[in-house]
Amino acid sequence: MLAARKLYPDAVLVLPGAKEETVKGFLLQSALYALEMKKVREIDLSKVTRLILVDIRTASRIGPFRDLIGKPGVEVHVYDHHPEEDADIRGSYEVIRKVGSTTTILVEILKERGIPITPDEATVMMLGIYEDTGSLSFPSTTVSDYLAAAHLRECGANLGAVRSEEHTSELRHMSE
């Protein structure tokens, strides 16, 4: 969502579901938590004119935002890397690519458009790629994921912070 926010600077960020633990941990420790995430109940759905879906195309997972699908006057933009399913939400604008992480798709677009990424943003985006690709080790990881990670590193991504969050997540999971 951070990467998408750079493409849609006036967008309001809302997580309809639970945050990934490592992302949550990093955000809580980071100034980037000031992204002003809203809670679903804070959004007046009658005023939404564009719904931007990032890393999700399943209506059952977007809570009350599913009521906006097909509503006149509401554009739906979709960025995703998951395999297509019959029940997927269709957008008026879609960027669907077979890569290991949706963050990779958004980093590619940011790079193509010359939109700068700060070191803190690059660190959060790198964490997103690492989460989806098992630190670039899952079989679904593509060359594009590596290239996006390389670009984020060039933008100043802090691998120490990313590794620290991965380690913290591993410890959490081991203790559960």
Side-chain angles (χ1 to χ4, degrees):
M1 285 189 345
L2 170 66
R5 177 73 172 276
K6 294 186 73 64
L7 296 173
Y8 302 91
D10 295 329
V12 175
L13 302 180
V14 180
L15 271 175
K19 299 176 186 87
E20 292 290 337
E21 282 303 311
T22 54
V23 174
K24 181 180 177 183
F26 184 81
L27 289 174
L28 289 172
Q29 297 173 30
S30 167
L32 290 173
Y33 197 74
L35 282 174
E36 299 177 22
M37 300 270 257
K38 300 277 187 186
K39 294 182 184 339
V40 174
R41 67 178 180 268
E42 297 176 289
I43 304 300
D44 181 351
L45 295 179
S46 69
K47 293 185 179 176
V48 175
T49 57
R50 181 183 297 143
L51 179 64
I52 305 156
L53 301 175
V54 177
D55 201 36
I56 189 164
R57 292 187 275 174
T58 308
S60 64
R61 294 186 56 212
I62 63 171
F65 294 104
R66 71 181 158 270
D67 296 339
L68 298 174
I69 306 302
K71 181 179 174 190
V74 178
E75 293 178 51
V76 178
H77 292 197
V78 180
Y79 297 86
D80 200 5
H81 72 112
H82 294 101
E84 187 173 333
E85 295 182 13
D86 290 339
D88 284 346
I89 294 168
R90 304 289 178 225
S92 53
Y93 178 77
E94 295 183 341
V95 182
I96 313 297
R97 296 183 187 156
K98 189 175 180 177
V99 294
S101 175
T102 300
T103 305
T104 295
I105 296 167
L106 292 160
V107 168
E108 288 173 338
I109 294 168
L110 293 171
K111 184 178 179 184
E112 288 167 8
R113 295 186 186 177
I115 298 172
I117 300 170
T118 69
D120 281 345
E121 292 168 338
T123 301
V124 172
M125 291 179 208
M126 184 75 84
L127 189 54
I129 291 174
Y130 271 37
E131 277 288 314
D132 272 351
T133 65
S135 302
L136 301 169
S137 69
F138 289 164
S140 59
T141 303
T142 67
V143 171
S144 295
D145 297 303
Y146 285 101
L147 293 173
H151 179 66
L152 293 173
R153 187 70 178 113
E154 287 174 346
C155 293
N158 179 343
L159 294 182
V162 171
R163 185 69 196 135
S164 171
E165 283 305 318
E166 283 186 318
H167 183 67
T168 302
S169 176
E170 288 168 13
L171 291 175
R172 258 188 241 120
H173 291 297
M174 287 170 48
S175 67
E176 292 176 345

